[in-house]
């Protein structure tokens, strides 16, 4: 059994100090990156400085763009104008990891600091600081696909020979690339409108009880799935233009995979458009 994974946590100390843990743990494409942000007032109790109006913002820099993040409050606690010694401002950020590669979590904190040497004329000034944390989103699942066209049966009527619907078998190998185990919940194929698909996997004749027997993959375990893809036999569909790529390959559809980690966290992955070269 895997050990429980510690939640990600970032401790933000005021007075321009920003402390981050050495690692956030593993981050995988298809899963949700969750992080708690805490701005703590760690001034000495005897300090004459006061902290007001603490605000926190964050953004995620992915390999292709920078995305502002929505921060939610932790629990039902309400923010106060003043952050007293020993108190903290907490926020939670969640971000769906969709791309492999380097990600940067950028956190900014602004606050107003006042000194009370002279109670009648306290001095205040606005402060701000920013910290970057870099991590890599690695693939959780490796997907390798193969498409095979099934042989056409001969048609006695040559006028309709070109309108004979074609069929394909899509095979996919799914390998668990993560450090922990995962359970596959669903693997589905979404075909283009001129096609239909049928699963020939473990979920073909599922009952409610059988849903408990989803494939369980330890690290580097591999399972194989397959789908039967058919061109619709409707005459209008057969005459319609089949979607192709610039190099003439037929576009079939996309594969969607859902899983859960050992701790129950959901994962989701959609492949790019799968294509094949149709035989004459």
């Amino acid at each position: 059994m895997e050990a429980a994974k510690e939640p990600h946590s970032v401790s933000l100390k005021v007075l321009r100090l920003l402390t981050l843990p050495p690692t956030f743990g593993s981050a995988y494409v298809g899963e949700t990156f969750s992080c708690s942000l805490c701005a703590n007032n760690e001034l000495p109790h005897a300090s004459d400085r006061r902290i007001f109006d603490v605000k926190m913002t964050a953004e995620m820099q992915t390999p292709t763009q920078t995305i502002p993040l929505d921060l939610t409050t932790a629990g039902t606690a309400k923010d106060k104008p003043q952050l007293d010694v020993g108190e903290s401002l907490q926020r939670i950020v969640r971000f769906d990891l969709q791309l492999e590669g380097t990600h940067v979590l950028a956190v900014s904190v602004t606050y107003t600091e006042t000194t009370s040497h002279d109670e009648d004329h306290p001095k205040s000034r606005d402060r701000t600081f920013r910290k970057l944390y870099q991590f890599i989103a690695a693939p959780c699942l490796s997907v390798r696909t193969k498409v095979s066209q099934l042989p056409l049966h001969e048609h006695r009527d040559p006028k309709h020979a070109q309108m004979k619907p074609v069929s394909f078998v899509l095979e996919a190998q799914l390998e668990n690339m993560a450090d922990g185990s995962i359970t596959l919940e669903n693997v589905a194929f979404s075909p283009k409108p001129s096609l239909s698909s049928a699963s020939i996997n473990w979920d073909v004749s599922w009952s409610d009880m059988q849903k408990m027997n989803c494939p369980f993959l330890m690290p580097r375990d591999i399972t194989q799935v397959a789908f039967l893809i058919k061109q619709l036999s409707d005459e209008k569909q057969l005459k319609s233009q089949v979607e192709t790529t610039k190099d003439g390959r037929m576009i079939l559809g996309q594969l969607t995979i859902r899983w859960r980690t050992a701790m129950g966290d959901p994962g989701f992955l959609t492949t790019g458009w799968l294509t094949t070269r149709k035989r004459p």
Side-chain angles (χ1 to χ4, degrees):
M1 180 179 294
E2 291 186 350
K5 191 175 180 180
E6 291 295 329
H8 303 320
S9 177
V10 179
S11 176
L12 310 175
K13 300 180 181 181
V14 297
L15 297 180
R16 294 189 174 274
L17 296 178
L18 180 58
T19 303
L20 293 173
T23 178
F24 277 168
S26 302
Y28 295 107
V29 175
E31 298 180 359
T32 300
F33 173 85
S34 299
C35 181
S36 63
L37 307 174
C38 303
N40 307 314
N41 185 346
E42 299 186 358
L43 291 170
H45 285 277
S47 175
D48 60 353
R49 287 178 289 177
R50 300 291 182 266
I51 304 300
F52 294 91
D53 300 328
V54 181
K55 294 180 175 60
M56 192 184 307
T57 60
E59 62 185 21
M60 187 70 75
Q61 300 171 12
T62 73
T64 59
Q65 60 183 324
T66 298
I67 303 173
L69 301 179
D70 293 328
L71 303 182
T72 59
T73 57
T76 58
K78 294 184 178 180
D79 296 341
K80 299 190 303 180
Q82 179 174 337
L83 192 67
D84 295 329
V85 174
E87 293 184 338
S88 65
L89 176 73
Q90 298 186 19
R91 294 289 185 267
I92 295 176
V93 59
R94 293 181 175 87
F95 181 77
D96 293 333
L97 297 172
Q98 300 177 351
L99 298 173
E100 295 180 29
T102 301
H103 288 62
V104 178
L105 174 65
V107 183
S108 299
V109 175
T110 60
Y111 61 95
T112 300
E113 178 187 275
T114 64
T115 55
S116 55
H117 294 294
D118 185 349
E119 295 183 359
D120 296 329
H121 302 88
K123 296 181 179 180
S124 64
R125 55 179 175 177
D126 295 331
R127 291 182 175 271
T128 183
F129 60 92
R130 178 179 173 90
K131 186 69 176 182
L132 306 178
Y133 185 84
Q134 179 176 294
F135 65 96
I136 295 176
C140 181
L141 276 178
S142 171
V143 182
R144 294 182 289 272
T145 60
K146 175 185 176 183
V147 179
S148 303
Q149 181 176 334
L150 298 179
L152 287 173
H153 297 290
E154 293 184 3
H155 204 293
R156 294 184 178 182
D157 188 351
K159 294 182 180 180
H160 296 84
Q162 297 299 323
M163 295 174 56
K164 187 72 175 178
V166 295
S167 300
F168 304 91
V169 171
L170 167 65
E171 301 172 83
Q173 282 190 343
L174 311 179
E175 181 178 358
N176 179 10
M177 305 296 291
D179 295 332
S181 60
I182 63 172
T183 300
L184 294 179
E185 285 195 326
N186 179 255
V187 181
F189 182 75
S190 301
K192 282 292 187 177
S194 60
L195 303 170
S196 67
S197 69
S199 170
I200 46 179
N201 304 305
W202 70 88
D203 56 350
V204 171
S205 59
W206 260 2
S207 65
D208 289 339
M209 291 301 295
Q210 287 173 321
K211 289 183 180 180
M212 300 175 61
N213 299 321
C214 300
F216 178 81
L217 301 180
M218 293 294 289
R220 302 304 180 269
D221 278 357
I222 297 175
T223 190
Q224 184 159 323
V225 297
F227 294 86
L228 179 61
I229 304 170
K230 294 183 178 181
Q231 191 174 10
L232 297 180
S233 57
D234 182 82
E235 186 172 348
K236 292 182 180 180
Q237 292 286 354
L238 289 173
K239 290 181 179 180
S240 65
Q241 183 69 29
V242 176
E243 294 187 52
T244 60
T245 60
K246 293 182 178 180
D247 61 354
R249 297 179 66 86
M250 182 178 178
I251 302 175
L252 300 178
Q254 292 177 297
L255 200 61
T256 300
I257 308 160
R258 297 181 184 273
W259 68 88
R260 286 193 180 271
T261 66
M263 299 303 297
D265 297 324
F268 174 85
L269 178 66
T270 298
T271 67
W273 292 109
L274 301 178
T275 65
T276 188
R277 193 170 295 281
K278 182 179 174 182
R279 295 200 308 266

